[in-house]
Amino acid sequence: MREEDVAENGRGPADPAGLRRVFDTIGVAVALLDRQGRIADLNAAMQRAIGCPQDLLIGQPMAGAFVWGGREGAADRFAQALAAAARGLVQELTLTGDGTWYDIVLTPLPAAGGGEPAGIVMTAADSGRRMAVEARLRGQEERLRVARDEVARAGQAKVRFLAAASHDLRQPAQSLTLFGAVLAERLAGHPQLPLVQTMNRAVEAMRGLLDALLDVARLDSGIVSPDPAPFALTEMMARLEADYGPRAAAKGLKLRVRPLKLQVRSDATLLERLLRHLLDNAVRYTASGGVLLGCRRRGMMLCIEVADTGVGIPADKLDEIFEEFVQLGNAERDRSRGLGLGLAVVKRLSHLLGLPVRVRSRPGRGTCFTVEVPLHASWNPNATERAVPSLDRPGALALIIDDEELILQSLRLVLEQWGWDVLAAASGEEALRQLDGAERLPDVIIADYRLRYGRTGVDAIRDIHAFAGDLIPAILLTGDTSPDRIREARRSGFTVLHKPVTLSELSSHLEEARARAAAE
């Protein structure tokens, strides 16, 4: 760089030899061009890039100094960029000269008095290293993409497998649940009753395993979305007490339930599922003493606690217990103690609902899980609460539609034993034929979701609604875990129950359906 150039640009006198040393030491190739793109000065790095000594380059057009290669039009692109820089526009482009790629920047050099640029400063940095890094990054991104695709395919295969296996296993499990319940009632006081009860406990254990697998599959597939709404806790707590009280008593334990007459805001169904997993865990791992399901208020939050007097959990294992298939103190993998999925489901539900779950424990003394749920801001403590439904009003008519003969028979037996009148059909078409000659319409429809010949329970229910001219309450039973099928079933707007359905679940939803019908 010449001393007069520096002075002309208003930067004062400087040591020319010192400036030249700095200029030539810079690792980036730099050239000073006039507005026509001719070389006024250049450093040693630019000379090496061009491959020609300085005295042969001064005054020559920079566009002709490089041996442009690579893509067609490289020389034209450089010339256009020079013209734009001469008009005061900074230009950035990547071109190859004699096989080496350069990141080129053309920066207008301001004139001392303003106006058009006095010249152009050109820098050319070897882009080979950058391009190599970018290529490696692209390769890594591609490998990551392939890995993600493999994981996604594996996940989809797992969901398909679980859907098929779940459906096929749940059909006989549903029949066993219902037949076992009917048989236990009919053998009350009989010497063989303990044998039937043992069988029912085995079926209940199998149902629990299938439910845990279903929960994990549904939550991992992303098909479950919470539907928060205000609700009172007393009905849910009463339902949990009715279900878990007998289970605790069968082990010699006492279940204490301490509700508060408060309203909270959350997804009632998913919150109840979370509490059921905690209660399952508490009853399963408590040998003596009892289990507490209680509530206490903390500001605008309600803390729901599930505490037990069980074996407790070591402090260094408190995080580990929420992982899949982890069971402390069950090295022999006793299946009567579950699969170790309950708390993994709790963790997923906690994240989905946005409700923190905390645990504290003392080995040998017991464990307490706490779920924090927001109170409903406009809760009215004087509002009346809906009573828990009961089965003390026989005579209602139920229409059952299922193409599995065993399930059809078992459902009929259970409902008739509860005092219901029953119409049973293997298809929607058969149900319509029976209704055509019936004296009255059903109070509720119970239909399997997957029927034969590509038909669904939703199709059958809607055909019956059209025939009756009335929206009869309906319940869909399904053994599917397929995300698409579950979404289809839920979009119907009907109550969806997953096989194998327990008697308490079935009775509760039947009475709710009948109550809705009576109210209408």
Side-chain angles (χ1 to χ4, degrees):
M1 182 177 290
R2 296 170 300 179
E3 183 177 4
E4 56 268 29
D5 292 328
V6 176
E8 286 174 6
N9 283 281
R11 299 181 184 179
D15 172 26
L19 272 179
R20 170 55 61 183
R21 284 196 299 273
V22 172
F23 194 40
D24 286 339
T25 304
I26 296 174
V28 177
V30 183
L32 179 64
L33 315 178
D34 63 19
R35 294 186 66 251
Q36 286 71 42
R38 295 187 295 265
I39 301 172
D41 200 356
L42 69 167
N43 68 353
M46 182 65 81
Q47 295 175 48
R48 289 193 296 273
I50 296 173
C52 190
Q54 180 182 21
D55 55 356
L56 296 179
L57 292 173
I58 301 298
Q60 298 299 316
M62 177 60 81
F66 273 94
V67 179
W68 301 109
R71 300 175 184 173
E72 288 187 14
D76 290 339
R77 288 177 59 204
F78 184 75
Q80 292 169 6
L82 277 174
R87 296 194 300 271
L89 303 175
V90 175
Q91 300 292 297
E92 297 181 6
L93 61 165
T94 300
L95 298 173
T96 180
D98 198 19
T100 301
W101 285 90
Y102 294 99
D103 290 326
I104 296 172
V105 180
L106 301 172
T107 306
L109 185 65
E116 293 184 345
I120 301 167
V121 176
M122 171 183 169
T123 62
D126 188 344
S127 61
R129 180 177 298 177
R130 175 185 61 79
M131 295 175 73
V133 170
E134 289 178 352
R136 285 197 298 272
L137 288 175
R138 284 195 297 272
Q140 291 172 359
E141 289 174 357
E142 178 63 17
R143 287 192 292 273
L144 285 173
R145 185 191 65 77
V146 171
R148 284 196 300 268
D149 291 346
E150 287 293 331
V151 170
R153 281 193 292 270
Q156 291 166 359
K158 181 185 77 171
V159 170
R160 287 194 299 271
F161 169 76
L162 285 173
S166 173
H167 180 270
D168 293 344
L169 288 171
R170 284 171 183 277
Q171 299 295 88
Q174 181 68 81
S175 300
L176 283 171
T177 299
L178 298 176
F179 279 133
V182 171
L183 189 58
E185 288 190 19
R186 292 189 177 181
L187 289 180
H190 193 280
Q192 297 302 321
L193 179 60
L195 183 61
V196 176
Q197 291 172 332
T198 300
M199 180 192 74
N200 286 346
R201 284 195 295 273
V203 173
E204 177 66 18
M206 179 176 66
R207 187 193 69 80
L209 300 181
L210 288 172
D211 281 347
L213 288 171
L214 171 66
D215 278 342
V216 170
R218 292 172 65 219
L219 293 169
D220 283 351
S221 61
I223 62 173
V224 180
S225 57
D227 183 18
F231 66 94
L233 274 174
T234 50
E235 182 179 332
M236 178 190 294
M237 301 284 269
R239 195 161 49 242
L240 293 172
E241 183 175 19
D243 283 353
Y244 287 91
R247 300 189 202 182
K251 290 190 65 176
L253 306 174
K254 182 175 179 57
L255 173 65
R256 292 179 296 145
V257 178
R258 299 290 183 266
L260 290 177
K261 290 187 176 181
L262 296 172
Q263 278 194 337
V264 295
R265 182 174 181 81
S266 185
D267 186 302
T269 301
L270 296 180
L271 177 59
E272 182 171 341
R273 175 62 81 183
L274 185 154
L275 293 175
R276 284 181 177 275
H277 280 292
L278 292 178
L279 285 167
D280 280 334
N281 210 58
V283 172
R284 182 177 295 124
Y285 288 100
T286 302
S288 62
V291 175
L292 168 68
L293 172 62
C295 302
R296 55 188 176 86
R297 183 171 180 171
R298 181 183 293 168
M300 287 305 295
M301 301 295 289
L302 185 71
C303 298
I304 305 176
E305 296 183 342
V306 177
D308 62 60
T309 57
V311 295
I313 304 165
D316 61 342
K317 301 292 184 181
L318 288 177
D319 291 331
E320 185 179 333
I321 60 173
F322 290 99
E323 302 304 320
E324 295 90 342
F325 305 109
V326 171
Q327 288 180 299
L328 304 182
N330 188 20
E332 69 278 11
R333 304 301 294 172
D334 179 0
R335 286 293 171 262
S336 68
R337 299 169 70 178
L339 280 175
L341 289 172
L343 293 180
V345 173
V346 167
K347 178 181 178 181
R348 287 165 167 80
L349 287 171
S350 169
H351 290 165
L352 184 65
L353 293 169
L355 303 179
V357 175
R358 296 183 172 85
V359 56
R360 61 183 188 275
S361 183
R362 293 178 64 186
R365 300 290 297 274
T367 303
C368 179
F369 290 88
T370 302
V371 186
E372 294 186 4
V373 188
L375 288 169
H376 181 44
S378 59
W379 169 66
N380 178 8
N382 298 317
T384 57
E385 296 175 0
R386 184 163 56 91
V388 178
S390 62
L391 289 171
D392 58 359
R393 293 172 292 164
L397 177 63
L399 171 61
I400 308 170
I401 306 172
D402 200 308
D403 54 10
E404 290 281 345
E405 182 63 25
L406 283 175
I407 292 181
L408 207 59
Q409 291 178 15
S410 57
L411 275 173
R412 176 196 284 273
L413 281 172
V414 168
L415 266 63
E416 288 178 343
Q417 192 155 296
W418 286 346
W420 286 71
D421 296 329
V422 177
L423 291 177
S427 66
E429 293 74 18
E430 184 182 339
L432 287 172
R433 287 194 296 271
Q434 292 193 38
L435 288 177
D436 194 32
E439 297 180 354
R440 55 177 171 147
L441 293 173
D443 296 285
V444 66
I445 305 167
I446 305 172
D448 185 37
Y449 180 72
R450 187 193 293 186
L451 300 174
R452 291 176 184 168
Y453 310 116
R455 299 275 290 172
T456 68
V458 175
D459 299 329
I461 292 167
R462 287 176 176 160
D463 288 346
I464 294 167
H465 284 174
F467 170 84
D470 191 13
L471 296 179
I472 300 167
I475 297 171
L476 283 171
L477 302 181
T478 180
D480 277 295
T481 56
S482 165
D484 291 338
R485 289 192 178 274
I486 293 175
R487 271 192 289 264
E488 289 168 7
R490 291 192 178 278
R491 279 198 297 266
S492 70
F494 305 128
T495 298
V496 179
L497 299 181
H498 293 274
K499 298 176 182 175
V501 180
T502 65
L503 296 186
S504 61
E505 285 178 309
L506 183 60
S507 66
S508 175
H509 285 88
L510 279 174
E511 282 304 309
E512 287 178 4
R514 189 160 65 176
R516 286 198 302 271
E520 294 170 358

